[in-house]
Amino acid sequence: MRQISNEEWKAAPRTIPNFWVAAATWLPLAALVFFARSDILHSPYLDKGFWDIVSFSMLATVLAMIIGSGRQAPWMGLGVATGLYFLLDPAGQLQRTMSLALAYFLLLAVVLGLFDARLRRELRTWKREATGGIALAPDQEADFGITKQMSPTLWRLAIGALLYPLLRLGWELISTEVHSLHDLDAGYRLDVLGALVLLGISFLISLLRWLRMKSMGLFALEIPADPRIGPISLQVYGEAILVETEETANCLCRHQDQNGNKKAFVDPRFIFCSETCPVHGVHAVNQLDQAEFLAIAAQPWVYGENMNGKLLEGTGQRLVIAGLSGWDSRPVPVRAAWLFGGGKQASAYYTPTSAREPLNRAKRRLSVQTLQGNSITADIFENNEKEELDRIDLRPVGINAQVVRVRGGRPFLI
């Protein structure tokens, strides 16, 4: 494990955010396809109208490639542009335009590779300086497999793009007198080909990211969880309590009739925090005196849906993650129950979702979600219509914020 100080994390090499990489790749490629649309649709390999090739599979393929390409987007743009060049055998103005596009995608890929190499060089330095060790839970080892290197949504799109034409083909074979695949609509075969290409590209990207992670080696980093520093997004379990340490004999949070009939958390370590619980409910929190409130002020469940990044700012909360090997990697939290290097472990409540970051860290915002992936939009105190009970300064417990308690609602962090 390697502990990363706030200063080291702030100084970590920056890069071009994935959003702008995608925009810089797919918008020019779309413009190129539009410019050459007549030649593409009337090529000897694709003598069809535009609406003849539009289908669920083709749309899913395009959408998945745009969303899932990540740092490989310029190389994919270069590949598509190269394929179009050989497909069309262009001349004149079209040839000059396509040659310029090829040079642009190659330059973008090289520049992005140089940016990303800076982070990987820093990570290798941190790995060499790592000491000691930390054990992964048995069920966490699967989080570093090949198929885990891309979002599950993209795999579903790829598989769905393949199943759609296969199901339609099966139905047509059953419901008609056609007995040969060659007699079926050629559009089906185009859909299957597109889906197979998508699955192949998805597996290739996942394999490349997995190989990069293996070459980097698996090691743990303890990093700051301050949203002003970044670079990772955070998920916040603002509406849950940790069963092992926070559920008491008087707690009613398990009672579904007391808890709004909410679905149970997938993670068995947590249960929803009931609004009427005598220990964790709204009234229980509001009736505490200031000293009692300060004792629980660092717990996310206290604020429920009003949870925001203020709780993390200045508290020294830290995360332990493994699998960070580049900007396209998907690091996972290591469930460490002890303190390392003097930092306060936040892994019980806060987990990374990706290694991406906005280029300007100073303006990033905390991504707040429940364990089930639903966004939590905290109410703005200025719009509050409930009666204000009191205000408590949290600086004595290391939180640079102020709490406003209101009648009949969860406290606000301002």
Side-chain angles (χ1 to χ4, degrees):
M1 181 185 284
R2 171 66 156 82
Q3 183 190 11
I4 309 301
S5 68
N6 287 22
E7 291 70 25
E8 289 176 315
W9 202 234
K10 287 179 181 178
R14 303 188 183 191
T15 189
I16 304 172
N18 275 25
F19 174 83
W20 295 112
V21 173
T25 300
W26 300 110
L27 290 179
L29 186 62
L32 177 65
V33 170
F34 180 80
F35 181 77
R37 64 190 184 281
S38 178
D39 297 86
I40 295 173
L41 292 175
H42 295 93
S43 68
Y45 302 98
L46 189 66
D47 189 14
K48 284 180 163 295
F50 174 76
W51 294 109
D52 293 326
I53 64 174
V54 173
S55 67
F56 169 78
S57 294
M58 298 305 295
L59 292 176
T61 300
V62 172
L63 182 63
M65 289 177 63
I66 292 175
I67 297 175
S69 56
R71 318 304 286 180
Q72 288 77 38
W75 293 107
M76 294 177 66
L78 179 64
V80 173
T82 302
L84 289 177
Y85 190 93
F86 286 105
L87 177 70
L88 302 178
D89 191 19
Q93 180 62 35
L94 180 59
Q95 183 184 37
R96 291 189 292 271
T97 301
M98 297 197 71
S99 297
L100 182 62
L102 290 172
Y104 166 77
F105 288 126
L106 180 60
L107 178 63
L108 180 62
V110 171
V111 170
L112 195 65
L114 293 176
F115 269 109
D116 294 353
R118 297 169 62 220
L119 175 62
R120 290 195 291 272
R121 184 172 61 248
E122 187 70 27
L123 289 173
R124 290 191 179 95
T125 300
W126 289 344
K127 181 190 175 185
R128 288 194 300 267
E129 298 169 350
T131 59
I134 185 170
L136 281 175
D139 60 334
Q140 286 193 296
E141 295 180 4
D143 292 333
F144 303 101
I146 294 178
T147 59
K148 298 294 184 179
Q149 305 305 310
M150 292 183 67
S151 167
T153 301
L154 298 178
W155 286 114
R156 296 188 189 103
L157 273 175
I159 294 173
L162 180 60
L163 288 178
Y164 171 74
L166 292 180
L167 290 175
R168 290 188 62 189
L169 284 171
W171 174 253
E172 187 163 338
L173 285 171
I174 295 173
S175 61
T176 67
E177 296 182 357
V178 175
H179 299 292
S180 172
L181 291 178
H182 295 286
D183 297 332
L184 295 173
D185 186 352
Y188 292 150
R189 294 193 290 274
L190 189 62
D191 282 348
V192 173
L193 177 61
L196 291 175
V197 169
L198 175 57
L199 278 171
I201 292 176
S202 299
F203 183 79
L204 178 60
I205 292 177
S206 297
L207 178 62
L208 291 174
R209 294 177 184 175
W210 181 79
L211 289 173
R212 183 184 60 191
M213 184 187 69
K214 297 294 286 186
S215 67
M216 179 71 67
L218 195 60
F219 65 104
L221 294 174
E222 188 207 68
I223 62 175
D226 191 332
R228 297 169 302 179
I229 298 173
I232 60 173
S233 300
L234 302 173
Q235 291 182 323
V236 180
Y237 309 160
E239 297 180 305
I241 62 172
L242 195 59
V243 172
E244 183 178 350
T245 58
E246 293 165 359
E247 187 180 25
T248 65
N250 296 326
C251 175
L252 296 179
C253 292
R254 285 190 181 274
H255 294 195
Q256 291 299 314
D257 58 335
Q258 298 280 342
N259 200 13
N261 294 318
K262 295 178 180 177
K263 295 181 180 179
F265 274 126
V266 176
D267 190 332
R269 296 177 301 155
F270 295 90
I271 56 175
F272 274 105
C273 180
S274 172
E275 299 296 281
T276 59
C277 175
V279 180
H280 304 103
V282 172
H283 179 69
V285 171
N286 286 341
Q287 71 177 359
L288 298 174
D289 61 37
Q290 292 198 4
E292 292 171 328
F293 185 90
L294 288 175
I296 63 169
Q299 302 301 321
W301 63 263
V302 174
Y303 311 97
E305 62 183 8
N306 294 333
M307 169 69 191
N308 60 41
K310 287 285 186 180
L311 187 61
L312 292 180
E313 293 180 4
T315 62
Q317 299 274 7
R318 301 178 70 80
L319 296 167
V320 178
I321 63 172
L324 181 60
S325 58
W327 292 114
D328 261 334
S329 58
R330 298 174 64 83
V332 299
V334 179
R335 295 195 288 269
W338 59 87
L339 300 183
F340 182 82
K344 297 179 180 178
Q345 287 298 332
S347 55
Y349 292 104
Y350 312 101
T351 62
T353 57
S354 72
R356 303 166 190 164
E357 67 162 344
L359 187 61
N360 188 344
R361 296 175 184 170
K363 293 183 179 180
R364 71 164 287 106
R365 298 183 63 185
L366 182 69
S367 174
V368 183
Q369 295 180 324
T370 67
L371 187 58
Q372 296 171 318
N374 300 317
S375 297
I376 301 175
T377 305
D379 289 336
I380 300 175
F381 176 70
E382 285 70 17
N383 297 335
N384 170 61
E385 297 180 353
K386 297 183 174 68
E387 177 188 351
E388 182 177 328
L389 299 177
D390 62 359
R391 298 192 176 207
I392 304 174
D393 186 4
L394 299 184
R395 285 178 294 180
V397 293
I399 302 173
N400 187 26
Q402 188 180 43
V403 162
V404 181
R405 291 194 287 186
V406 297
R407 189 178 304 279
R410 291 285 177 183
F412 290 88
L413 278 162
I414 62 173

